[in-house]
Amino acid sequence: MRYQKPKGTNDLLPGTSEKWQFVEETARLIFRDYQYEEIRTPIFEHYEVIARSVGDTTDIVSKEMYDFYDKGDRHVTLRPEGTAPIVRSFVENKLFGPEFAKPYKTYYMGPMFRYERPQAGRLRQFHQIGAEAFGSENPAVDVESMAMALDFFKQLGIQKFKLVINSLGDKETRAAYRQALIDYLEPKQDELSDDSKRRLHENPLRVLDSKDKKDRAIVAEAPSILDYLSESSKTHFETVKIMLNELNIPYAVDSNMVRGLDYYTNTIFEIMSEAPGIGAQSTICAGGRYDGLVEELGGPATPGFGFALGIERLLITMAAEEVVIPAINEIDAYVVGIGAETNIETLKLVQVIRNFGFSADRDFMNRKPKAQFKTADKVNAKLVLTLGENELNEGIVNVKSMANRNEIAFPLADIYDRFDEVYDEMMTVMFD
């Protein structure tokens, strides 16, 4: 039998995993600047957590979840998205309490799972980075979150993208718009896809999110939700636009954008890649406000705002823009041992260098010196320490700069006693 990875999943091998590390570490640095702290939730959740949050009529719940009954006959699911588990954790751990900062800012990163047709940027196991802020209705939270996402992309080196926003309003807005949308769609019901026919009276906003070409042509002429905003929702959305303008953040308004999840209220947004050849999967980040979700999962009425982005799709965008990812596999020192008698000493040298806080490696395959030097080049070693039988007998080690090929001999005792000082001295001498 030939064993292979499951369909719709990927092995992240060295050469690729470094790119992921760069993206993840950049996210952590940016989020820290905005005072967000990490929460890690289980990879599987009780089915009801997702179904109640995301909505029974969404494609995620009705078609895509990996849900099953475990040995205790509990209905569980692999998490298909990150917000609902974070909200469940927020409620369960009483993070809304007075001892916690307001708004409570958190982020997450990790694998998510949806059963769908695998394609570029859309896998069955995919990975998301997301951020959530709880406790404030202030439109400034909406704008700060969008600004943080945009800062993240800029820090990665992505330049070709656009911000698109819309408002889904509050409960009053939804009730008025729901009826207007039904009135518009009912005369065209026979032309709708089977999914949209089913959703027409269950959740007509889902029709606006349909990917069917005929449905999309029909909803293009549908009434705009912006014409049905309540006064409070209208004020909120206008303030968001004013704040974006004040921060000189360009944006466009798309009144047909609804997002694929039921918990959103008021502001929603997407960041879309405009890189050449990016194709249909152009949305690289999306999110919005969900002021009723905490209460829906048993917590006190608590407003929230958040976003998520897919790492796989983000890396596709970076490749399309030819973003150069900094090399992270270079090491400070590579120790070359010549002859079997140096085996013990080279091991000691490598460990001493590491103990001083530097990265180091050596040959373990008994290769010739030429092959060892090639390896030092391949791993981008800054310095190469060469130790042969003669050097061992004399108590010295030859240190070479791989940048300019200058070489200096140092006493072995200096390496063992004060390598940090020796390193600084070597770099000063060699690059002066």
Side-chain angles (χ1 to χ4, degrees), residues 27-222:
R28 287 189 170 95
L29 291 172
I30 292 293
F31 294 167
R32 194 174 300 132
D33 288 345
Y34 283 79
Q35 296 299 295
Y36 281 71
E37 297 179 304
E38 186 178 15
I39 288 180
R40 304 187 187 193
T41 64
I43 287 178
F44 63 95
E45 292 276 349
H46 289 292
Y47 176 88
E48 293 77 17
V49 169
I50 307 300
R52 184 150 190 170
S53 303
V54 175
D56 289 325
T57 61
T58 61
D59 282 350
I60 290 176
V61 173
S62 63
K63 297 179 180 180
E64 298 171 358
M65 287 212 302
Y66 279 92
D67 63 295
F68 55 93
Y69 288 87
D70 68 10
K71 293 180 179 180
D73 203 34
R74 291 171 288 258
H75 197 183
V76 297
T77 180
L78 300 181
R79 61 186 185 194
E81 61 99 43
T83 298
I86 291 291
V87 173
R88 189 268 312 148
S89 179
F90 179 81
V91 173
E92 182 175 348
N93 293 288
K94 296 181 172 58
L95 301 178
F96 48 79
E99 66 271 31
F100 297 104
K102 301 293 187 296
Y104 187 88
K105 297 179 176 181
T106 186
Y107 72 91
Y108 62 87
M109 55 182 68
M112 310 291 165
F113 305 86
R114 297 182 192 176
Y115 189 82
E116 54 187 346
R117 183 187 303 170
Q119 54 186 292
R122 189 181 289 273
L123 298 171
R124 290 177 177 172
Q125 176 179 296
F126 59 101
H127 299 74
Q128 283 188 342
I129 297 174
E132 318 287 351
F134 298 99
S136 174
E137 295 179 338
N138 194 328
V141 171
D142 308 21
V143 176
E144 182 187 75
S145 297
M146 289 185 267
M148 183 171 74
L150 295 169
D151 281 351
F152 172 55
F153 292 132
K154 292 172 185 175
Q155 187 66 33
L156 289 175
I158 296 173
Q159 299 178 347
K160 299 174 182 176
F161 55 80
K162 66 177 179 178
L163 171 65
V164 181
I165 65 173
N166 191 25
S167 175
L168 298 181
D170 52 18
K171 288 184 179 180
E172 180 185 341
T173 301
R174 291 286 191 96
Y177 184 61
R178 183 182 189 279
Q179 190 56 53
L181 196 55
I182 290 174
D183 292 344
Y184 170 78
L185 291 173
E186 275 185 334
K188 310 175 191 303
Q189 184 170 351
D190 292 343
E191 303 172 50
L192 295 173
S193 66
D194 289 341
D195 277 344
S196 291
K197 287 177 184 176
R198 174 175 55 84
R199 292 168 174 162
L200 175 55
H201 291 95
E202 289 180 355
N203 192 342
L205 265 72
R206 292 274 67 77
V207 179
L208 298 178
D209 200 41
S210 172
K211 303 300 186 289
D212 184 271
K213 289 183 178 179
K214 289 184 179 179
D215 290 348
R216 294 180 73 86
I218 292 171
V219 302
E221 302 299 323

Side-chain angles (χ1 to χ4, degrees), residues 144-392:
E144 182 187 75
S145 297
M146 289 185 267
M148 183 171 74
L150 295 169
D151 281 351
F152 172 55
F153 292 132
K154 292 172 185 175
Q155 187 66 33
L156 289 175
I158 296 173
Q159 299 178 347
K160 299 174 182 176
F161 55 80
K162 66 177 179 178
L163 171 65
V164 181
I165 65 173
N166 191 25
S167 175
L168 298 181
D170 52 18
K171 288 184 179 180
E172 180 185 341
T173 301
R174 291 286 191 96
Y177 184 61
R178 183 182 189 279
Q179 190 56 53
L181 196 55
I182 290 174
D183 292 344
Y184 170 78
L185 291 173
E186 275 185 334
K188 310 175 191 303
Q189 184 170 351
D190 292 343
E191 303 172 50
L192 295 173
S193 66
D194 289 341
D195 277 344
S196 291
K197 287 177 184 176
R198 174 175 55 84
R199 292 168 174 162
L200 175 55
H201 291 95
E202 289 180 355
N203 192 342
L205 265 72
R206 292 274 67 77
V207 179
L208 298 178
D209 200 41
S210 172
K211 303 300 186 289
D212 184 271
K213 289 183 178 179
K214 289 184 179 179
D215 290 348
R216 294 180 73 86
I218 292 171
V219 302
E221 302 299 323
S224 169
I225 195 170
L226 298 180
D227 293 333
Y228 294 83
L229 293 181
S230 66
E231 285 304 314
S232 61
S233 289
K234 187 181 299 183
T235 299
H236 188 102
F237 194 50
E238 288 302 315
T239 305
V240 165
K241 291 189 286 184
I242 290 170
M243 288 178 167
L244 288 171
N245 290 330
E246 287 294 318
L247 294 181
N248 295 315
I249 297 176
Y251 66 90
V253 176
D254 180 356
S255 61
N256 279 338
M257 183 173 69
V258 296
R259 302 298 305 132
L261 308 174
D262 280 355
Y263 51 62
Y264 285 121
T265 58
N266 284 313
T267 312
I268 60 171
F269 77 95
E270 292 187 9
I271 298 174
M272 299 178 179
S273 171
E274 295 185 308
I278 200 64
Q281 307 299 333
S282 62
T283 299
I284 55 177
C285 177
R289 183 162 283 280
Y290 47 86
D291 289 346
L293 187 51
V294 172
E295 194 172 6
E296 185 72 24
L297 291 186
T302 306
F305 191 96
F307 66 80
L309 57 96
I311 300 180
E312 287 89 350
R313 200 172 293 185
L314 181 59
L315 288 168
I316 291 172
T317 302
M318 293 171 68
E321 289 199 31
E322 299 181 346
V323 173
V324 177
I325 296 177
I328 60 173
N329 65 334
E330 65 180 17
I331 64 174
D332 295 310
Y334 190 91
V335 179
V336 172
I338 304 173
E341 58 278 349
T342 67
N343 192 29
I344 295 174
E345 200 69 30
T346 54
L347 181 63
K348 289 167 62 179
L349 279 172
V350 167
Q351 288 302 108
V352 165
I353 293 169
R354 290 169 179 161
N355 289 341
F356 273 98
F358 295 87
S359 58
D361 205 357
R362 54 155 280 181
D363 176 65
F364 289 93
M365 305 304 295
N366 300 320
R367 289 176 293 187
K368 300 292 185 182
K370 184 177 180 180
Q372 295 185 51
F373 280 110
K374 282 186 177 179
T375 299
D377 273 326
K378 186 176 182 180
V379 298
N380 298 314
K382 296 177 183 177
L383 302 173
V384 174
L385 285 70
T386 306
L387 185 69
E389 184 178 358
N390 291 339
E391 289 81 12
L392 187 60

